[in-house]
């Protein structure tokens, strides 16, 4: 394709074809004389390609930048961004390093904004969210009717007071939460960074950073935006970052600076000299954090990958780094991967919503009955509305706010429980759902998805290595060390031509040569870097005056003279002077402070094992690896030619090294057995040994190698470089090139490492199984490994049979397997993800009917998509009264393990250990559900009883639509008079925590939903009708000439009845409950003195008032106390029996 300039002489854009391949053809362009710069060997000509011409494409002229302060609430930029061009979201971007003024398109501000509201939207959005609920909308309509005199039945505050109180509590809670989010955002947006602009350093907040800016990031600083790594303080051009807040992994990740910019003496030249422009061609923003495609054009075109990128939200773990900003604000990977959490509604809330609708139906029917009895005379429609308003307290407005406050209390109890320290509640709206768990979906390993935690610690321990004819364990370390020592004694250190190397592989190898080759492969084929503590004697004990590379690097930009303390990599040690290396080159004293860093704990376990058997990794940088023989302290040097990291798609990683001792070029490859089997040469033991290790619960890795000639490698390198320069389908093309080497490789060994179970996993699973919770394990491991883990962790009980679903592909095979499984009663199912997918496609309902009855299910080789299908299967066909514990389902519980906090942060609840799960569900889940059920039904009872009293009053006085209680009495009844005592039910518990854990079978009862059901609801309705009638008819029997006396007697009896009913409902008294009862009673007594207009003070002091109130109150409550006493003595509930038995034993 002909090179056509994108911009003509008149700055007009030419139309050209955009090719997905870039040919490396260079043309010479005349360069004007430039001043001397510190860049070494500057060339007077520069190369231009089809790719670099893309940087000349102009965009619209941008208006001058305005500085924005980080403020809470509404900002001008947030409004203007709505109308701006969104092309930066879909189009590749061309970034000129260090020249923000060259940005010709709009890029979002680099601010973090997690607020739900701003100054203008707070009130409208909060009101909209509140009036979406039927309860609040119902009372809003009722309150609005009071503006019409024809419908008014009392003072305005009678209806608007409770409604305003509920709304104020909600708005205050929302405001506090949003202010906390705003201050967190402000803290992050105000963090100061060093910006290199026009050759000078200046301190700016992260919110002022723009695309193209060059910034200096110190150790332990958060990465403020997505940046390209230009230079590091380590001369090797490497640094480590912590990504636990992005992907949940605590292992440090290695990042590599661009070689071209790492070699520049003064990186600030890129921000001052317009003749030396570095340009980055980057892909549009997208979600994938494991992949990046870009090209740097400086001296020539250089491909960029994810190894050159630091994502926003990660933390620089070592040294200092100079970076160029390429994505800001909403374009960063961390923001793009932050999804809005699903608003989860608890089953209790749904059940209460159903009961509220029944109350509404009862309200309408009662109003119609009263209207029918009164007759359709006069303005009957006015009477209908007034009756409707009089009985409107049947649906209590305080129900929602009391439940929400109760949930906050339950969440506080969970977080403050000393038996499950550091537990966190992130969704405070569903704590009672922990008491209704029927299915627990967990993952065996670190693929955190369902329970969002692990049965294992993700702490790997090397257990076994098999070489085809012999197998070694940790007990044979001395024997392996001896074989390695003998092998390297016999080896000749002389270099050999690469072309003659392959002839040796024809000779049949013995055990004495297999073992050292396998150990050497494990010591080389990895991405592990040794990191040394700074207390090493090189820098601390000797106090050498020699400048370290870090301090020299810092002087380039006149940075702070005091170098930031950071761990020292082996690469840094290798850069010291010969005298220093002689003092402590890579010796034992330095090794005392060494730690291995890698993205996978499997690799660390293997490298630590090679150290134990005599071959230690002592140095690693981008270009070389150095091993040391422990027996002779001899060092072995290897030059890294290519490195192919592990990915979830390929399930393998490889490395090409040149042995400096023999000049061999060796390609090492290791990966999962399922992908390595077709790659290695034919053998008859690989599949069998992998299955044997899997049955032992070990994670297996297959290791192979291939020796390359110089010609083979050179030809491969050229093809690989060409594939890396592609910007479209780069990864696919690179993989195709690498696969040309992955043929007929020599199988070296199979390793097995153990992932240790978490503490008390077996006991916890046993408790949960006895509690009636069915546990499903979803894992990516192979069938044998998953089966072994399920047995060793007691996920599958001894009394249960195991049925392993065979691999199927057709409808007939599926039907046959289902029929065979149907004959296995009470058997645990083990099935692969692919087989599950086939069954769901053919017989979804039949499979669901069978698996839901299984005591345990293990789904192995399960992909994330298949895991989501399992969750949907349970939600669709599972029992409606039972909740599913999974991220995509009803409740998500995260376990903070070695993989960090990111996975648990996305869950509704997080705990530190798997063993805490039993107390979280059996104690806190039980209490939360029981308390919410009792609280909600009692509040309904409180509204029903006063509605019944109003109905009796209206019927006695000729069906008049006159309110029994006026003004403050109605408002105070549901607030200060009964609020404290009724809300104290959130402290109640039916059994002690020790009993709930000792007898987990008690948890089974909760799944039946008997604590909050239609039966219990109608029982409370009957109690309300009886008590309301008893109070009213009892008072009229004792009626005297003054009507105000009836109000005094009935209202006082009503308050006392409510307090006594709370005492009757409580099962375990708490000191605060007694305080709440006395406080409520004191408030009412005080109101009798203060509000003289509602009560006759002289009558209240008479004996008639006291005995009449006592008689009416006893008539309403005494029968219920008698019935409860009979029930406890004759048919006590099971928890009461266990409580008494436990107390006797204690």
């Amino acid at each position: 394709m002909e090179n056509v300039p994108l911009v003509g002489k008149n700055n007009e854009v030419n139309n050209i074809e955009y090719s997905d391949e870039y040919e490396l053809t260079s043309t010479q362009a005349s360069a004007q004389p430039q001043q001397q710069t510190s860049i070494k060997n500057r060339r007077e000509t520069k190369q231009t390609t089809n790719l670099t011409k893309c940087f000349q494409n102009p965009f619209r002229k941008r208006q001058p930048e305005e500085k924005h302060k980080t403020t809470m609430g509404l900002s001008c930029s947030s409004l203007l961004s709505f109308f701006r061009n969104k092309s930066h979201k879909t189009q590749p971007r061309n970034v000129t390093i260090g020249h923000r003024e060259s940005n010709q398109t709009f890029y979002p501000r680099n601010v973090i904004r997690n607020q739900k509201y701003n100054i203008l939207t707070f009130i409208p959005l909060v009101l909209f969210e509140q009036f979406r609920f039927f309860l609040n909308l119902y009372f809003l309509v009722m309150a609005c009717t009071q503006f019409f005199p024809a419908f008014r039945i009392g003072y305005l505050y009678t209806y608007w007071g409770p409604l305003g109180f509920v709304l104020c509590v909600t708005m205050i809670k929302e405001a506090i939460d949003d202010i906390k989010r705003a201050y967190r955002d402000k803290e992050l947006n105000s963090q100061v960074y060093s910006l290199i602009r026009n050759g000078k350093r200046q301190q700016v907040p992260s919110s002022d950073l723009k695309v193209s800016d060059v910034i200096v990031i110190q150790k332990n600083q958060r990465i403020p935006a997505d940046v390209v790594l230009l230079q590091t303080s380590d001369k090797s051009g490497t640094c480590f970052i912590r990504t636990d807040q992005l992907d949940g992994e605590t292992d440090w990740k290695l990042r590599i600076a661009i070689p071209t910019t790492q070699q520049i003496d003064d990186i600030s030249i890129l921000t001052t000299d317009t003749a030396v422009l570095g340009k980055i061609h980057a892909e549009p923003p997208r979600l994938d954090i494991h992949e990046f495609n870009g090209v740097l054009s400086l001296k020539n075109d250089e491909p960029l990958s994810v190894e050159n990128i630091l994502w926003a939200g990660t933390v620089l773990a070592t040294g200092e780094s100079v970076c160029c900003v390429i994505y800001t604000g909403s374009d960063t990977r961390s923001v793009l991967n932050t999804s809005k959490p699903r608003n989860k509604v608890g089953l209790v809330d749904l059940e209460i919503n159903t009961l509220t609708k029944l109350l509404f139906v009862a309200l309408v029917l009662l109003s119609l009955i009263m209207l029918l009895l009164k007759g359709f005379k006069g303005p009957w429609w006015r009477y209908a509305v007034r009756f409707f308003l009089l009985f409107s307290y049947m649906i209590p407005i305080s129900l929602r706010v009391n439940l929400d406050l109760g949930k906050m209390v339950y969440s506080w109890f969970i977080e403050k429980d000393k038996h499950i320290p550091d537990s966190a509640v992130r969704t405070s709206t569903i704590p009672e759902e922990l008491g209704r768990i029927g299915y627990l979906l967990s993952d065996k390993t670190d693929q955190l998805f369902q329970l969002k935690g692990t049965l294992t610690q993700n702490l790997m321990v090397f257990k076994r290595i098999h070489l085809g004819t012999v197998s070694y364990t940790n007990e044979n370390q001395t024997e392996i060390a001896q074989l390695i020592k003998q092998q390297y004694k016999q080896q000749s250190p002389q270099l050999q031509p690469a072309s003659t190397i392959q002839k040796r592989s024809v000779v049949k190898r013995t055990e004495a040569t297999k073992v050292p080759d396998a150990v050497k492969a494990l010591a080389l084929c990895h991405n592990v870097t040794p990191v040394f503590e700074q207390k090493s004697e090189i820098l601390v004990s000797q106090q050498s005056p020699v400048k370290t590379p870090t301090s020299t690097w810092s002087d380039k930009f006149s940075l702070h003279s005091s170098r930031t303390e950071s761990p020292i990599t082996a690469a840094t040690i290798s850069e010291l002077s010969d005298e220093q290396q002689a003092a402590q080159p890579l010796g034992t004293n330095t090794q005392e402070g060494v730690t291995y860093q890698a993205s996978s704990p499997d690799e660390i376990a293997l490298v630590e094992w090679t150290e134990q058997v005599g071959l230690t990794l002592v140095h690693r940088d981008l270009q070389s690896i150095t091993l040391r023989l422990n027996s002779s302290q001899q060092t072995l040097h290897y030059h890294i030619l290519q490195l192919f990291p592990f990915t979830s798609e390929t399930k393998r990683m490889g490395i090409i090294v040149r042995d400096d001792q023999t000049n061999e070029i060796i390609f090492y490859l290791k990966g999962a057995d399922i992908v390595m089997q077709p790659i290695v040469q034919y053998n008859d033991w690989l599949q069998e040994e992998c299955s044997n290790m899997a049955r032992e619960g070990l994670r297996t890795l297959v290791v192979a190698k291939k020796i390359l000639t110089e010609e083979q490698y050179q030809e491969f390198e050229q093809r690989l470089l060409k594939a890396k320069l592609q910007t479209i389908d780069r990864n696919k093309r690179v993989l195709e090139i690498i696969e040309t080497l992955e043929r007929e490789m020599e199988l070296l060994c199979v390793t097995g490492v153990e992932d240790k179970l978490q503490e008390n996993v077996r006991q916890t699973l046993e408790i949960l199984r006895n509690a009636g919770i069915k546990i499903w394990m979803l894992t990516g491991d192979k069938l044998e490994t998953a089966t072994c883990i399920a047995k060793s962790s007691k996920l599958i009980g001894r009394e249960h049979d195991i049925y392993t679903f065979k691999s199927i592909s057709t409808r007939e095979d599926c039907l046959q397997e289902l029929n065979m499984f149907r004959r296995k009663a009470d058997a645990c199912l083990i099935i692969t993800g692919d087989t599950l997918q086939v069954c769901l496609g053919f017989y979804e309902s039949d499979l669901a009917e069978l698996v839901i009855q299984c005591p345990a299910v293990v789904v192995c080789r399960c992909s994330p998509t298949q895991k989501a299908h399992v969750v949907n299967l349970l939600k669709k066909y599972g029992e409606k009264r039972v909740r599913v514990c999974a991220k995509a389902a009803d409740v998500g519980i995260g376990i903070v393990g070695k993989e960090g906090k990111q996975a648990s942060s996305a869950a509704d609840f997080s705990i530190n250990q798997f063993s805490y799960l039993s107390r979280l569900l059996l104690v806190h889940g039980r209490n939360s559900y029981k308390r919410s059920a009792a609280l909600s039904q009692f509040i309904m009872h409180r509204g029903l009883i006063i509605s019944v009293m109003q109905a009796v009053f209206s019927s006695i006085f000729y069906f008049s639509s006159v309110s029994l209680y006026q003004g403050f009495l109605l408002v105070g009844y549901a607030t200060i008079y009964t609020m404290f005592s009724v809300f104290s039910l959130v402290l109640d518990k039916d059994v002690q925590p020790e009993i709930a854990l000792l007898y987990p079978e008690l948890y089974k009862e909760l799944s039946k939903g008997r604590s909050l059901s239609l039966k219990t609801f109608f029982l409370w309705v009957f109690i309300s009708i009886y008590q309301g009638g008893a109070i009213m008819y009892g008072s009229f029997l004792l009626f005297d000439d003054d009507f105000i006396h009836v109000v005094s007697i009935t209202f006082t009896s009503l308050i006392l009845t409510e307090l006594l009913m709370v005492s009757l409902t409580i099962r375990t008294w708490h000191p605060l409950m007694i305080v709440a009862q006395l406080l409520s009673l004191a408030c009412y007594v005080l109101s009798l003195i203060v509000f003289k207009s509602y009560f006759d003070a002289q009558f209240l002091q008479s004996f008639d008032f006291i005995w009449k109130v006592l008689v009416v109150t006893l008539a309403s409550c005494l029968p219920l106390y008698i019935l409860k006493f009979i029930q406890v003595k004759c048919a006590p509930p099971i928890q009461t029996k266990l409580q008494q038995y436990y107390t006797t034993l204690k």
Side-chain angles (χ1 to χ4, degrees), residues 60 72 191 322-323 514 705 783 808 971 1104:
R60 64 176 179 85
M72 294 177 289
Q191 290 182 355
V322 178
C323 308
K514 285 182 179 180
K705 79 168 187 178
L783 188 142
I808 59 173
V971 178
D1104 287 345

Side-chain angles (χ1 to χ4, degrees), residues 733-773:
R733 300 186 184 192
V734 168
L735 184 60
E736 291 174 352
I737 301 300
I738 297 174
E739 286 177 349
T740 60
L741 286 184
E742 298 173 345
R743 298 171 183 171
E744 293 296 313
M745 298 190 69
E746 179 186 354
L747 177 60
L748 295 179
C749 63
V750 178
T751 63
V753 295
E754 179 187 18
D755 193 354
K756 288 188 174 182
L757 289 174
Q758 286 197 19
E759 185 179 358
N760 297 326
V761 164
R762 295 183 179 91
Q763 297 90 321
T764 303
L765 291 176
E766 184 74 20
I767 290 174
L768 297 178
R769 187 165 56 250
N770 292 336
I773 300 175

